[in-house]
Amino acid sequence: AQTVTQSQPEMSVQEAETVTLSCTYDTSENNYYLFWYKQPPSRQMILVIRQEAYKQQNATENRFSVNFQKAAKSFSLKISDSQLGDTAMYFCAFMIWGSGGSNYKLTFGKGTLLTVNP
Amino acid sequence: NAGVMQNPRHLVRRRGQEARLRCSPMKGHSHVYWYRQLPEEGLKFMVYLQKENIIDESGMPKERFSAEFPKEGPSILRIQQVVRGDSAAYFCASSPPFTRGRTYNEQFFGPGTRLTVL
């Protein structure tokens, strides 16, 4: 079974600064996807960024980037130039890769509440 | 293209009553997933359905919970004889059909239904 751990229940950052959210996971699988989802106060789940485990290059999406360390089973999210609209709960998630098997079941961490202060 | 629709957004039930949660997937999506988010927790997979078929219900409680996705109409998550521990946010996600060789299908989430059991 897969587990996802987010060790920071809450974090805060000043507007325009950079913040890093941590995530570790445990799996015996070799091929998988990792995700960061954002859940603002509206509670809508929004996909922020996705990383394929077989890719060594870290994924980036505008101000969002990840630091993927496969051997350490670590997947942190860096938010640059933080904006007030980034205030949200952030969830790290895992999905097995490949046809067949549970390649649809997302496993989530408990989340990190990020507050961006003006 | 409308997103995933869920209704009601908020549902209050007394212990022992039934709760029916509805999910209309995005247009063209034939796969539906239900997740439950308990307070202070991440989302947990409950069930995966395709039209008229339950593919994986490994995350569903053995009793009182059922799900369906009929040929016509929305997917329904039904909770009979609700108890206080059922209070949670219930999220539905949908994805398009898997295509040959494709190993990942993004899940698009609805806004969730917050169930409160008095």
Side-chain angles (χ1 to χ4, degrees):
Chain A
Q2 283 67 233
T3 59
V4 177
T5 302
Q6 293 179 249
S7 58
Q8 305 152 314
E10 295 185 37
M11 292 192 72
S12 63
V13 64
Q14 292 300 121
E15 196 175 6
E17 293 188 347
T18 296
V19 64
T20 299
L21 309 184
S22 301
C23 173
T24 58
Y25 58 95
D26 190 23
T27 183
S28 58
E29 301 288 335
N30 192 47
N31 294 318
Y32 46 87
Y33 294 95
L34 293 162
F35 308 85
W36 279 97
Y37 280 86
K38 171 184 178 181
Q39 188 181 45
S42 67
R43 302 191 68 83
Q44 180 82 47
M45 293 290 287
I46 302 164
L47 179 63
V48 174
I49 199 164
R50 182 184 83 229
Q51 173 79 43
E52 290 88 342
Y54 65 87
K55 289 186 177 178
Q56 291 188 335
Q57 186 173 7
N58 289 323
T60 64
E61 286 287 342
N62 301 313
R63 297 182 295 107
F64 298 87
S65 61
V66 298
N67 183 3
F68 173 47
Q69 302 289 329
K70 190 172 184 180
K73 296 182 180 175
S74 170
F75 182 61
S76 61
L77 175 69
K78 185 171 84 170
I79 306 175
S80 304
D81 186 25
S82 297
Q83 300 176 359
L84 297 178
D86 294 334
T87 293
M89 184 73 83
Y90 287 81
F91 292 97
C92 179
F94 172 102
M95 180 192 286
I96 291 173
W97 176 91
S99 57
S102 300
N103 58 330
Y104 50 79
K105 191 181 297 186
L106 284 163
T107 300
F108 288 86
K110 289 190 176 184
T112 295
L113 178 60
L114 175 67
T115 302
V116 180
N117 298 309
Chain B
N1 188 7
V4 178
M5 310 285 284
Q6 288 189 250
N7 67 80
R9 293 292 308 274
H10 300 275
L11 182 62
V12 178
R13 286 288 178 265
R14 296 191 181 279
R15 281 177 296 171
Q17 292 184 319
E18 179 179 285
R20 279 182 181 245
L21 288 63
R22 294 174 182 76
C23 169
S24 297
M26 287 179 67
K27 188 176 180 180
H29 287 191
S30 55
H31 297 217
V32 165
Y33 316 83
W34 286 93
Y35 292 83
R36 178 166 66 174
Q37 184 179 27
L38 295 169
E40 312 297 327
E41 298 281 329
L43 281 69
K44 287 190 170 21
F45 171 82
M46 298 181 76
V47 62
Y48 163 35
L49 309 107
Q50 296 177 16
K51 286 282 188 182
E52 300 184 280
N53 282 305
I54 297 174
I55 307 302
D56 181 353
E57 57 181 348
S58 59
M60 291 274 273
K62 293 288 184 276
E63 297 177 349
R64 303 187 297 108
F65 285 71
S66 62
E68 63 177 8
F69 188 17
K71 187 176 180 181
E72 301 290 338
S75 175
I76 306 288
L77 179 66
R78 182 183 178 206
I79 312 171
Q80 295 178 291
Q81 298 176 318
V82 296
V83 301
R84 288 221 173 104
D86 297 333
S87 295
Y90 292 82
F91 288 88
C92 167
S94 72
S95 70
F98 284 85
T99 54
R100 183 184 291 276
R102 187 170 186 175
T103 58
Y104 168 70
N105 253 1
E106 182 174 348
Q107 295 180 20
F108 295 82
F109 282 84
T113 294
R114 183 185 287 277
L115 172 65
T116 301
V117 180
L118 301 178

